[in-house]
Amino acid sequence: MEHCLCFWLFLILSSICFLLVDANHDHLHTQRVTPLRGERTDVYSNNGKRSNKTLLPDKVLILDVDNCLYCESEIQRISGNGIEKQIIQNTHEFGKKMLNLTHEECDKMYQQYGSTVEGIRHKLLSEGLTDHCVHEILQNYYTFVYDRIDMTCLVILPDRGETLVNTGYNHAYSRSRQKFIRDMLQSIPYPIYFASNSPRQHVLRVLSATGLQNVDYHGLLTPDTIDIGDGIGTDGQVVHYPTKFQPGEFFRTLLDQYGPERLFLIDDSKTNVQKAQEVGIQGIVVNHSNNDGGVTLEEALSTFAGHVEHDMFSGSVLAEERYQFSDVKYLESKYHVDMEAINPIVWDKMIDRLVSATSTPQGGEYVRIVDIGAGLLSMLDLMIVGVKEKRPLIERMTSGSVLHYIAYESNENLLGAIDNRVRSLGFVSVNKTDERKDEHEYILNGKVTVRLLVRVKDFTREKLRINERPHVILGCCFADLFDPNELVASVVQFMNYYTGVVEESEVQTPQEILLYFPITFSGTTQFVTPHPFEMGVDGTVIPSDTLAFRLYSQNLIEQNGHNLDPTRLIEAFQNIGASLLEKGQSVWHIDPFQNAYLWKTMLHFFRNSAAFEILKSNLDSVGWLKRAERAGSPIRVMNQDLLFSLQLPFTKKFLSNRISENFQRADDDTVEKIVFIAPYKVGKNVKQLQDNHLGPNQVEVKAICSLISSGTELKIFKGLFDEARLDVNIKGMAEETIKYPLTYGYSLVGIVTRCGSGVVDSESIMGKLVFTFSPHSSRVIVDRNTVHIVPDGISAEDAMFLPSVETAVSIVHDANIRVGERVSVYGQGLIGLLITGILSRHQTCLSHSSVGTVTTFDTISDRLAMSSAMGATQALLPLSAKDAGPFDVSIEVSGNARALQAAIDSTQDGGRIIVGSWYGNSEIQLKLGIDFHRSHKTIKTSQVSTIPAELSALWSKDKRFKLSWELVRLLKPSHLITRWLSLDYAQEAYELLDSGKEIAVSFRYKK
């Protein structure tokens, strides 16, 4: 009793001192509150909120708080402080002042009991203190330890994931982690309880600081909100402020209400999980470093939601489904897929340009390449060994040359694999006297000496020396991980781009720097045989693969900060003066057998990113994942390879070239044009153009680019036409007939270079960017009133799509689609894709299979991928038409009679079929039997040349042009171009388009 009185006196004095220091602090509430449901008063409810989640759930989530909802080591690294760090410090201080405990004794209690407070309870009980004394000491412990914690370190935790290494494999990890976790918790359709050994007020503060305050949770389980009635625990001992170390008492309400078999605990403490398992609660151990058998919180939530197969009891993945992400194995598994995917045209362009810039008459070139996202040095491998048609760089270099390759890779975990890779290529390590842990040097001797420097650093925090300026900066599977403007800023800062005027002889530096970004993800993923919407268990809706993968891309953009629009990257580099030299598709083909680990890794990404987005859309995420596993379809990922040229600024040569450019004439007096000679035969015609050819009301337009029509123009190339006027509505074509030889084309954009004497606005239009309905030609002379000035903010590359967009608009108008109607589009060539883009912005409900969907069909996978990017709800092979239909409206723009038959068959009774195709002079046979006769279906043709009578009161050509320009601005259709060529390759251009290998082909003219 004497011991208890002395202890009480000490506690009172300490409490008075503490209250004087922290008098204004809002103290912990210990009063019991009304629970969410039932008669017990041992679970704190979420401010009286009632969840709309089921009262009899299949499972219940119990989620730990400290070092589970946030990563303690991460916030300590960034802020220098941490929540658990403060808890430990305050606990040590309390233990020393109040109980005469050393730091080591406090830490031992934590290790033995899962929390220090539990150890203190056992110590006090073993010393024979009364229940009242134990209760008051524990109450003072919670007040002393938790009321003084500063939560600022949680608030300032950046939302950008600075610690992540950008080497192409981190996109399953959210760069906006707290928002992602909040969204995950909000989408879970089961009751959620937060459970902590910390007091209720502390938990509420953590939830507030981490942005999780408004998560729809059922209640809190904390020591100060749990009342076990008579105070006697299951072991017969008195229990005050029970913790997870007494699972029977701590979880009693949930055990009684739901039963142990429905309860799942996610906790960062193995001890807590093991204790919970003693009463039948299943558990997963969270370990933010993903080591020692634990998983990340995101993976744990995915497991609870059913997205990941997992053995809850052991904390390890089921043996037969065993998969564990490894950065090394992932990079190794995608090596061959990368090498196959890299676009050979862009690769050759880069090598040709590099060799041309570095070659010297005497030989012995010196080439420096900097790889800013090196991974396992796959690009170095390509430079030295090559793959199939992609010849290695060193094969093009002369004897005695030197290739200096500087590789930046910030992930130390890859160093062992990097060392193995370079040694397998024949490199030997170079011993340096000033050896640094973050730099590793190798050399490969031969006809060309290759010097390799591996820097274990993040390039965004580095600057190259002036004498290290490279000829090439490259990043494979890299550029899409950044905001485009941030990447450009990082690159120019890294290479000291703006350093003032220097003489070329002062440093060994190139005049041109090539920026090469192969395998830049463009946002579209697909299964080779895509599935439509399906009905799942209990009436749930399994999304189409197209929609599911769009949600996956949405997650990468919103949660990870990725850029999946290569045109934004192109614009960002062009804004600093870079020129796009070449771009081309680079498609990943991932076979589930030949590329088994990579295929499983992609599914791993889908589970942890796409699945919760699907769940948030009220769709069946588990059903979609199971279908994907069951089907085992190959995966295609659409990427682009980009090659830029960036002139080194502020050299005297650069400045003099810029000055001389201002005085150069636009071009010479020749004109090049395309002539259709015979079926499947085109040629280039070159002739002199005299000044007297310009009439008083005419203007001369110097072409920048022109677009090949994949409809009418391709029919002319193939000879599938009858003699008729070219176009009754375009001046200059109305009087011409379609017969060989002829020039044709109607999508040309250029600059006005001359005006006739009678052009009244000649001063205002000189030098303007204009569109004209003219054949493919390097220079055209047209009447002023046929020229359309391109609106500000629209590029030449986008502007040449004006006729195609207008055609798509006219077809959509003729279809007269109502909001909520299910629409199908047969054919995803250029016009079909533009229709899809317009409709996807017109329809309002894209998450359910029965209303407002846009379903597209094509036989070519690349077109289906682009269709998904344009907004299709489901992009399918024609064999899926029966399962995906019926449709209210079907639009046929494939030019294939079989597609027209499929469109008729898949349209429901009373529906409309719009025929936008021109079938040339081919005979068309359709089956229009008794079913069609009784169906009241309407077949309507659509053609852009005139405004239909029923629309003429409201629409004019001028009004439709204005709308088309706005849609050009919105859609930015130049991203549909898959091949740029000069007129020298006209024959190849038409053959490629005819073969279906390209979606859109454009001619680019000499400057």
Side-chain angles (χ1 to χ4, degrees):
M1 189 66 179
E2 230 178 349
H3 176 75
C4 187
L5 289 174
C6 291
F7 199 90
W8 259 102
L9 180 62
F10 181 70
L11 284 176
I12 292 170
L13 292 173
S14 300
S15 299
I16 292 172
C17 292
F18 176 74
L19 290 171
L20 289 173
V21 174
D22 202 20
N24 292 325
H25 196 86
D26 182 17
H27 285 285
L28 176 70
H29 300 290
T30 57
Q31 182 180 356
R32 301 297 187 266
V33 299
T34 304
L36 188 64
R37 64 176 73 89
E39 297 180 354
R40 304 193 68 87
T41 57
D42 52 358
V43 177
Y44 171 69
S45 68
N46 183 12
N47 299 322
K49 293 181 181 178
R50 295 190 65 89
S51 173
N52 59 2
K53 296 165 184 173
T54 176
L55 294 176
L56 295 173
D58 294 330
K59 48 190 174 182
V60 176
L61 175 62
I62 307 171
L63 189 57
D64 183 37
V65 177
D66 287 315
N67 200 33
C68 189
L69 296 180
Y70 59 85
C71 177
E72 174 74 13
S73 60
E74 181 72 359
I75 64 173
Q76 285 194 34
R77 185 193 69 79
I78 294 172
S79 69
N81 201 0
I83 303 301
E84 291 209 332
K85 180 181 180 180
Q86 295 178 73
I87 293 174
I88 292 171
Q89 290 173 344
N90 294 345
T91 297
H92 287 167
E93 186 178 348
F94 180 87
K96 183 178 180 180
K97 288 183 177 180
M98 304 298 188
L99 302 174
N100 198 28
L101 294 173
T102 65
H103 295 180
E104 292 75 16
E105 288 173 321
C106 289
D107 294 342
K108 187 176 180 180
M109 287 178 175
Y110 175 83
Q111 295 168 3
Q112 182 176 357
Y113 297 103
S115 65
T116 306
V117 68
E118 190 59 43
I120 292 174
R121 181 204 316 283
H122 280 73
K123 173 180 170 58
L124 297 176
L125 290 174
S126 66
E127 292 176 352
L129 269 68
T130 66
D131 296 347
H132 187 68
C133 283
V134 172
H135 180 274
E136 293 299 325
I137 292 171
L138 293 179
Q139 182 177 356
N140 276 273
Y141 168 84
Y142 285 119
T143 301
F144 185 91
V145 171
Y146 289 96
D147 278 15
R148 298 192 296 169
I149 292 175
D150 181 2
M151 296 285 176
T152 306
C153 55
L154 287 178
V155 177
I156 66 171
L157 180 63
D159 222 24
R160 299 296 300 171
E162 285 88 341
T163 60
L164 302 179
V165 286
N166 288 309
T167 48
Y169 50 84
N170 62 328
H171 68 285
Y173 192 101
S174 174
R175 298 182 75 188
S176 302
R177 187 168 186 269
Q178 289 307 127
K179 181 180 183 302
F180 186 41
I181 290 172
R182 180 170 65 249
D183 290 345
M184 292 176 85
L185 292 175
Q186 290 284 42
S187 64
I188 288 175
Y190 304 106
I192 298 173
Y193 291 85
F194 291 107
S196 176
N197 288 335
S198 302
R200 172 174 64 91
Q201 192 66 18
H202 170 82
V203 171
L204 292 175
R205 293 175 67 204
V206 170
L207 293 179
S208 174
T210 54
L212 301 176
Q213 184 68 50
N214 288 327
V215 168
D216 186 20
Y217 62 91
H218 271 53
L220 305 179
L221 282 80
T222 62
D224 57 326
T225 60
I226 297 174
D227 180 7
I228 61 170
D230 56 8
I232 305 299
T234 54
D235 57 1
Q237 293 185 326
V238 174
V239 179
H240 296 289
Y241 296 107
T243 67
K244 297 172 191 172
F245 197 77
Q246 294 92 24
E249 291 75 33
F250 190 84
F251 299 112
R252 179 182 292 183
T253 298
L254 302 189
L255 289 168
D256 292 345
Q257 184 171 347
Y258 300 110
E261 69 282 355
R262 291 188 176 91
L263 303 181
F264 296 83
L265 172 65
I266 296 177
D267 202 299
D268 71 310
S269 168
K270 281 187 177 180
T271 301
N272 290 339
V273 170
Q274 290 169 353
K275 281 291 182 180
Q277 290 172 348
E278 290 178 4
V279 294
I281 298 174
Q282 304 178 66
I284 308 175
V285 178
V286 167
N287 186 323
H288 293 284
S289 63
N290 215 352
N291 296 324
D292 196 26
V295 298
T296 66
L297 176 58
E298 292 89 334
E299 291 170 330
L301 291 174
S302 293
T303 300
F304 173 78
H307 300 155
V308 177
E309 296 286 340
H310 206 282
D311 182 350
M312 296 284 188
F313 291 97
S314 67
S316 62
V317 180
L318 290 170
E320 62 270 24
E321 298 290 341
R322 193 167 190 83
Y323 169 85
Q324 186 171 1
F325 177 78
S326 160
D327 42 20
V328 173
K329 290 181 68 176
Y330 169 61
L331 292 175
E332 289 175 342
S333 69
K334 80 182 188 72
Y335 166 78
H336 293 290
V337 175
D338 280 344
M339 295 302 100
E340 290 286 339
I342 287 176
N343 189 289
I345 295 173
V346 183
W347 170 260
D348 287 343
K349 182 86 168 185
M350 187 272 294
I351 296 297
D352 289 344
R353 191 95 172 194
L354 178 59
V355 170
S356 174
T358 57
S359 62
T360 61
Q362 65 273 23
E365 302 92 359
Y366 186 91
V367 177
R368 182 181 292 112
I369 297 174
V370 175
D371 189 340
I372 55 179
L376 297 184
L377 299 178
S378 59
M379 294 307 296
L380 173 64
D381 202 329
L382 190 57
M383 298 283 179
I384 296 173
V385 180
V387 173
K388 293 184 178 179
E389 72 272 29
K390 294 178 272 284
R391 295 171 57 195
L393 168 63
I394 62 173
E395 187 179 294
R396 300 280 302 276
M397 298 173 69
T398 60
S399 180
S401 298
V402 175
L403 170 59
H404 187 197
Y405 198 95
I406 304 175
Y408 280 80
E409 176 48 62
S410 58
N411 187 356
E412 296 182 1
N413 295 336
L414 304 183
L415 282 179
I418 289 174
D419 186 73
N420 293 336
R421 169 67 62 85
V422 298
R423 291 182 186 278
S424 70
L425 293 172
F427 283 88
V428 294
S429 178
V430 176
N431 295 321
K432 298 187 297 182
T433 54
D434 58 335
E435 183 136 6
R436 297 169 56 182
K437 290 184 178 179
D438 57 0
E439 284 196 3
H440 304 268
E441 191 171 347
Y442 301 85
I443 191 167
L444 175 65
N445 293 309
K447 169 192 164 185
V448 175
T449 300
V450 183
R451 291 177 50 212
L452 170 63
L453 184 62
V454 178
R455 288 175 173 164
V456 190
K457 298 177 179 179
D458 180 352
F459 92 96
T460 63
R461 301 180 182 180
E462 293 293 311
K463 283 188 177 182
L464 289 172
R465 305 178 186 94
I466 294 296
N467 62 359
E468 285 185 337
R469 271 187 172 155
H471 297 89
V472 180
I473 289 179
L474 66 85
C476 182
C477 300
F478 187 75
D480 54 279
L481 304 178
F482 296 82
D483 172 85
N485 294 314
E486 289 179 6
L487 177 60
V488 170
S490 297
V491 168
V492 297
Q493 178 177 301
F494 169 68
M495 67 183 190
N496 290 290
Y497 185 60
Y498 302 108
T499 55
V501 179
V502 295
E503 293 281 358
E504 284 78 0
S505 58
E506 290 178 7
V507 292
Q508 186 177 6
T509 185
Q511 300 303 314
E512 173 190 63
I513 297 176
L514 298 177
L515 304 167
Y516 179 44
F517 298 106
I519 320 292
T520 301
F521 183 38
S522 57
T524 303
T525 309
Q526 60 184 165
F527 289 126
V528 169
T529 304
H531 288 84
F533 285 94
E534 292 180 20
M535 295 304 295
V537 180
D538 299 327
T540 60
V541 177
I542 299 175
S544 68
D545 291 336
T546 305
L547 178 59
F549 284 130
R550 182 176 303 116
L551 293 172
Y552 170 59
S553 293
Q554 177 181 311
N555 178 271
L556 296 182
I557 294 169
E558 295 180 356
Q559 308 299 341
N560 299 49
H562 290 192
N563 168 55
L564 306 186
D565 182 359
T567 60
R568 291 185 59 215
L569 184 63
I570 293 171
E571 290 173 1
F573 274 110
Q574 288 176 335
N575 286 340
I576 64 166
S579 301
L580 178 66
L581 297 179
E582 195 68 67
K583 71 174 183 177
Q585 285 190 336
S586 49
V587 182
W588 270 7
H589 297 274
I590 306 172
D591 185 270
F593 301 104
Q594 295 179 1
N595 314 110
Y597 187 82
L598 182 56
W599 194 89
K600 291 179 181 178
T601 300
M602 295 302 294
L603 231 61
H604 168 73
F605 292 158
F606 302 156
R607 292 181 189 282
N608 290 287
S609 296
F612 268 101
E613 297 293 342
I614 294 171
L615 195 60
K616 282 164 54 179
S617 300
N618 297 316
L619 296 168
D620 188 347
S621 54
V622 175
W624 180 76
L625 287 168
K626 288 182 177 179
R627 185 179 68 186
E629 283 186 297
R630 187 169 59 250
S633 299
I635 298 170
R636 298 177 83 253
V637 181
M638 306 303 292
N639 309 293
Q640 282 193 12
D641 292 0
L642 303 173
L643 177 64
F644 300 92
S645 167
L646 187 60
Q647 295 294 318
L648 184 65
F650 312 130
T651 63
K652 291 185 177 180
K653 181 177 179 181
F654 173 84
L655 294 176
S656 63
N657 287 344
R658 278 298 178 90
I659 293 171
S660 66
E661 285 175 5
N662 295 330
F663 295 95
Q664 291 176 359
R665 194 182 186 281
D667 60 11
D668 56 29
D669 293 327
T670 62
V671 59
E672 300 177 348
K673 65 174 69 173
I674 291 299
V675 178
F676 293 86
I677 302 169
Y680 294 95
K681 183 69 175 177
V682 296
K684 184 180 80 168
N685 181 281
V686 181
K687 68 175 184 178
Q688 293 294 120
L689 184 66
Q690 302 300 324
D691 287 347
N692 58 13
H693 285 182
L694 193 63
N697 293 315
Q698 291 182 319
V699 296
E700 179 188 75
V701 178
K702 179 182 179 293
I704 296 174
C705 53
S706 61
L707 182 69
I708 299 177
S709 159
S710 57
T712 304
E713 195 170 342
L714 206 54
K715 288 287 191 299
I716 290 175
F717 170 69
K718 297 159 71 173
L720 301 176
F721 60 86
D722 297 313
E723 275 199 24
R725 285 178 292 173
L726 282 178
D727 196 304
V728 297
N729 242 18
I730 298 177
K731 189 170 182 180
M733 292 186 185
E735 304 305 320
E736 293 188 32
T737 57
I738 307 177
K739 63 179 181 179
Y740 297 121
L742 79 155
T743 59
Y744 190 71
Y746 51 80
S747 301
L748 185 142
V749 177
I751 300 292
V752 176
T753 55
R754 291 190 299 154
C755 293
S757 59
V759 176
V760 294
D761 59 348
S762 59
E763 290 187 6
S764 64
I765 69 168
M766 279 292 292
K768 285 283 189 179
L769 186 67
V770 296
F771 172 89
T772 174
F773 290 94
S774 297
H776 305 290
S777 179
S778 61
R779 192 190 322 205
V780 295
I781 293 176
V782 294
D783 287 348
R784 167 63 184 93
N785 60 3
T786 66
V787 169
H788 298 258
I789 296 176
V790 176
D792 292 340
I794 296 178
S795 68
E797 293 77 12
D798 285 328
M800 64 182 172
F801 283 84
L802 174 66
S804 300
V805 171
E806 188 198 9
T807 299
V809 168
S810 71
I811 292 172
V812 172
H813 279 182
D814 285 333
N816 192 23
I817 297 164
R818 287 89 168 177
V819 173
E821 286 188 319
R822 300 183 69 207
V823 184
S824 65
V825 184
Y826 286 82
Q828 289 297 280
L830 179 56
I831 301 302
L833 288 168
L834 292 172
I835 291 171
T836 300
I838 294 170
L839 289 178
S840 68
R841 288 154 177 80
H842 177 270
Q843 300 293 74
T844 57
C845 182
L846 297 178
S847 62
H848 197 277
S849 61
S850 60
V851 293
T853 56
V854 179
T855 302
T856 61
F857 297 97
D858 206 292
T859 59
I860 300 174
S861 294
D862 285 354
R863 292 183 177 183
L864 293 178
M866 193 66 77
S867 180
S868 173
M870 292 299 285
T873 317
Q874 41 189 359
L876 307 169
L877 295 170
L879 57 86
S880 299
K882 184 177 180 181
D883 294 332
F887 305 102
D888 303 310
V889 182
S890 294
I891 298 172
E892 202 294 288
V893 284
S894 73
N896 188 315
R898 287 179 297 175
L900 176 57
Q901 184 68 62
I904 294 171
D905 294 342
S906 64
T907 302
Q908 67 180 5
D909 289 358
R912 308 181 299 283
I913 300 99
I914 309 301
V915 183
S917 292
W918 175 41
Y919 302 103
N921 56 7
S922 303
E923 291 188 5
I924 304 299
Q925 292 186 345
L926 297 174
K927 295 179 180 179
L928 304 177
I930 189 65
D931 290 338
F932 175 79
H933 180 67
R934 294 171 174 172
S935 68
H936 296 281
K937 298 177 185 179
T938 302
I939 300 178
K940 181 179 181 179
T941 63
S942 178
Q943 213 281 328
V944 70
S945 294
T946 58
I947 301 292
E950 64 268 25
L951 295 177
S952 58
L954 299 175
W955 286 89
S956 64
K957 288 285 286 186
D958 183 60
K959 182 178 179 180
R960 196 165 69 183
F961 271 135
K962 289 179 180 178
L963 172 61
S964 298
W965 277 126
E966 290 306 309
L967 287 171
V968 167
R969 190 193 305 277
L970 176 67
L971 296 173
K972 294 186 176 180
S974 60
H975 73 275
L976 298 175
I977 299 172
T978 52
R979 182 68 68 90
W980 289 91
L981 293 167
S982 70
L983 295 187
D984 296 326
Y985 299 93
Q987 184 70 32
E988 179 185 351
Y990 287 95
E991 289 174 353
L992 286 170
L993 203 56
D994 181 43
S995 69
K997 294 180 180 178
E998 307 294 343
I999 292 172
V1001 178
S1002 173
F1003 291 121
R1004 181 180 283 152
Y1005 298 89
K1006 298 176 183 177
K1007 294 182 179 180

